[in-house]
């Protein structure tokens, strides 16, 4: 199937992993300031990156990036493992002065309201159509409200993205705040296809590895198909030879950031 919206890239994962700009080992992340949101007895750690020469009297877009399960915790550091270096790149900071937020989900919670069962070391996901948000999502909703209210945030340029568990959380975040986001991207995530109607008007770029044996690409295809049936045209990229780690090729997409920050609500 070949068109501008659905394309399969036959890329070799070892080659993609050699892309130096995406490596985080030894990188200085101190530009991401350590913060936390405290609500009662619950805490949501987060890191926030402000534009260079930040001017509180100016107006900036804001992006919320949600990490995967492996980066859960409370150290306020692990969530920067994947993706943070992309936003620290000098070219990005020059071309897209934006506020970037990396919240960290606790190990006892999950970004999305999904039931997970492990059978013989294999995880199975059942996505819900509704229900109350998890503790982590509830805190994230409060954090997003708090930050978006700041006078230096452009409310017409609010974005979301994430990978794996964070890809699942991205769908839930834009579903619960469907009138907030200008665009979003989800990497190797999933959602109940019925939920797609709640974020059908938000431009979406979906990524997945064709060989993913952790989160089946069928989840992403189900969302893509539902949006198509609703008359929408989401972008859908499948990396035919990639397993679960489809975030490296997604981050290497030359048009991803241009596409994302090019949308306004």
């Amino acid at each position: 199937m070949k068109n501008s919206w659905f394309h399969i890239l036959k890329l070799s994962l070892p080659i993609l992993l050699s892309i130096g700009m995406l490596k985080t080992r030894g990188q200085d992340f101190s530009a991401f300031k350590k913060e936390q949101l405290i609500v009662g007895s619950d805490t949501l750690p987060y890191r926030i990156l402000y534009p260079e020469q930040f001017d509180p009297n100016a107006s900036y877009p804001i992006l919320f990036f949600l990490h995967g399960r492996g980066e859960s915790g409370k150290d306020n550091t692990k969530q920067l493992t994947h993706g943070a270096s992309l936003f620290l790149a000098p070219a990005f900071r020059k071309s897209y002065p934006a506020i970037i937020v990396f919240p960290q989900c606790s190990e006892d919670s999950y970004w999305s309201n999904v039931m997970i069962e492990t059978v013989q070391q294999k995880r199975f996901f059942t996505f819900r159509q509704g229900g109350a948000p998890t503790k982590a999502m509830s805190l994230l909703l409060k954090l997003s409200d708090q930050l978006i209210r700041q006078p230096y945030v452009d409310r017409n340029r609010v974005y979301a993205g994430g990978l794996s568990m964070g890809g699942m959380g991205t769908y839930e975040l834009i579903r619960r705040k469907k009138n907030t986001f200008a665009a979003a991207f989800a990497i190797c995530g999933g959602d109940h296809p019925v939920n797609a109607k709640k974020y059908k008007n938000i431009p979406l770029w979906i990524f997945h590895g064709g060989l993913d044996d952790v989160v089946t690409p069928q989840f992403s295809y189900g969302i893509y198909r539902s949006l198509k049936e609703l008359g929408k045209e989401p972008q859908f990229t499948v990396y035919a030879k990639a397993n679960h780690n489809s975030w490296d090729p997604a981050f290497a997409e030359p048009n991803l950031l241009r596409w994302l920050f090019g949308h306004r609500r």
Side-chain angles (χ1 to χ4, degrees):
M1 184 176 186
K2 296 181 180 179
N3 57 51
S4 60
W5 301 112
F6 182 106
H7 57 287
I8 298 177
L9 302 185
K10 296 183 178 179
L11 298 174
S12 171
L13 195 55
I15 293 176
L16 293 166
L17 291 176
S18 69
I19 300 174
M21 64 171 289
L22 297 175
K23 298 305 180 186
T24 61
R25 183 176 299 173
Q27 187 166 359
D28 180 9
F29 291 119
S30 60
F32 280 90
K33 304 304 180 184
K34 287 188 175 183
E35 302 288 354
Q36 59 181 2
L37 173 71
I38 300 175
V39 179
S41 60
D42 297 322
T43 299
L44 179 67
Y46 67 96
R47 301 289 286 266
I48 184 167
L49 178 70
Y50 291 97
E52 294 176 312
Q53 288 82 50
F54 173 72
D55 180 358
N57 296 312
S59 181
Y60 301 98
I62 189 169
L63 166 66
F64 295 88
F65 186 86
L66 307 185
H67 64 80
R69 188 59 175 168
E71 294 74 61
S72 297
K74 56 182 180 181
D75 65 350
N76 209 0
T77 297
K78 285 193 298 183
Q79 75 266 38
L80 299 176
T81 300
H82 304 297
S85 60
L86 180 69
F87 303 110
L88 284 175
F92 169 80
R93 305 203 76 187
K94 180 180 180 180
S95 300
Y96 305 101
I99 299 168
I100 311 296
V101 183
F102 273 67
Q104 186 176 33
C105 180
S106 62
E107 292 180 343
D108 64 349
S109 191
Y110 212 78
W111 289 129
S112 65
N113 191 358
V114 58
M115 294 181 291
I116 305 170
E117 184 176 4
T118 302
V119 179
Q120 296 179 349
Q121 300 183 329
K122 178 73 174 179
R123 283 183 293 175
F124 295 87
F125 303 88
T126 302
F127 295 97
R128 298 174 178 173
Q129 296 184 43
T134 63
K135 178 179 69 174
M137 177 55 66
S138 180
L139 289 168
L140 176 59
L141 292 170
K142 290 180 173 63
L143 175 64
S144 62
D145 285 342
Q146 175 179 296
L147 293 178
I148 292 169
R149 282 198 300 267
Q150 300 307 310
Y152 45 78
V153 170
D154 184 345
R155 298 184 184 182
N156 291 315
R157 300 187 68 198
V158 180
Y159 309 99
L163 60 90
S164 193
M165 177 185 74
M168 300 173 190
T170 297
Y171 293 123
E172 179 143 349
L173 179 60
I174 64 175
R175 169 169 67 86
R176 294 185 182 277
K177 297 177 73 69
K178 62 184 180 181
N179 296 318
T180 296
F181 292 94
F185 65 92
I187 306 169
C188 57
D191 191 14
H192 196 297
V194 172
N195 289 333
K197 64 179 181 294
K198 297 184 179 179
Y199 44 81
K200 65 180 182 179
N201 294 321
I202 299 174
L204 186 62
W205 194 338
I206 303 167
F207 299 91
H208 221 113
L211 303 179
D212 195 327
D213 59 3
V214 177
V215 179
T216 173
Q218 186 64 38
F219 288 142
S220 285
Y221 179 69
I223 297 165
Y224 167 78
R225 183 177 57 196
S226 290
L227 289 170
K228 289 282 288 184
E229 290 174 350
L230 291 167
K232 303 301 177 179
E233 291 289 342
Q235 297 211 61
F236 186 20
T237 299
V238 175
Y239 301 105
K241 295 184 179 181
N243 199 303
H244 190 50
N245 180 1
S246 53
W247 47 86
D248 278 345
F251 292 153
E253 286 284 348
N255 293 322
L256 173 59
L257 297 176
R258 186 183 307 116
W259 174 89
L260 184 71
F261 289 100
H263 286 93
R264 300 180 65 90
R265 188 168 61 86

